[in-house]
Amino acid sequence: YDAIKVAATTEQITDAWKDQLKINGKLVYPELLNDVQKLVEATKTQDGFTLTTHGYVEFVPLLKGTE
């Protein structure tokens, strides 16, 4: 994908999201760290990801699926 937008807070980027992005693709998600949520823009590069933080936000938590 060129972009993935996540509308629920997560503590980390999942491998599935990483694998689905094209090089230079963007993943925007609210990240939970120490009980604080920040909006993060992750840009996929040849070497991994470049992260940019865009400020504080408040979203519902991302829930794990059931098997």
Side-chain angles (χ1 to χ4, degrees), residues 6 8-14 17 29-33 37 60-62:
V6 181
T9 299
T10 183
E11 293 181 6
Q12 63 186 6
I13 301 172
T14 68
W17 292 338
Y29 65 100
E31 180 179 60
L32 179 62
L33 182 62
Q37 297 179 27
V60 297
L62 183 66

Side-chain angles (χ1 to χ4, degrees), residues 20-58:
Q20 292 177 53
L21 274 179
K22 295 180 181 178
I23 298 296
N24 295 319
K26 299 203 182 280
L27 172 63
V28 178
Y29 65 100
E31 180 179 60
L32 179 62
L33 182 62
N34 299 324
D35 295 326
V36 176
Q37 297 179 27
K38 293 184 180 180
L39 191 63
V40 177
E41 176 184 333
T43 304
K44 188 173 185 177
T45 66
Q46 294 283 356
D47 301 320
F49 283 84
T50 301
L51 303 179
T52 305
T53 302
H54 291 285
Y56 297 101
V57 294
E58 197 166 323

